[in-house]
Amino acid sequence: MIPCLACGKPMPKLRLEKYGYKVCLDCSQVGQYRAITIVNGEKDDIWNDIQFVSEEEFTEYNKNRENNGGKSEAPKQGDDPSSNVPDKE
């Protein structure tokens, strides 16, 4: 165990060495992430992608879906799936 740089409480050494986190979970400012499933392709050539987004981006995505009658436009082949997620303002 090593001390957290923010509060001094013990935290796993692996958290710093392997993942690069300098503070413990209690001091972390990073929130939970959500996943958006995206279906791509047509007919026999269909695959799924998962886009991980922040809670705020997920809420905005769902608002846009509700405003479009429960539908969201899937990205076209080769497009960046994050383009379906609205930008933060």
Side-chain angles (χ1 to χ4, degrees), residues 32-43:
Q32 181 176 343
Y33 277 74
R34 304 286 298 260
I36 298 172
T37 304
I38 302 167
V39 179
N40 297 295
E42 296 177 1
K43 298 182 182 178

Side-chain angles (χ1 to χ4, degrees), residues 68-88:
N68 291 325
K71 296 181 181 180
S72 61
E73 189 173 310
K76 305 294 184 248
Q77 184 174 358
D79 285 353
D80 179 6
S82 63
S83 63
N84 250 14
V85 179
D87 292 331
K88 288 187 192 177

Side-chain angles (χ1 to χ4, degrees), residues 1-3 10-21:
M1 298 292 264
I2 59 171
M11 71 174 209
K13 188 175 183 179
L14 185 64
R15 183 167 167 79
L16 174 64
E17 290 179 349
K18 185 170 183 180
Y19 301 109
Y21 296 113

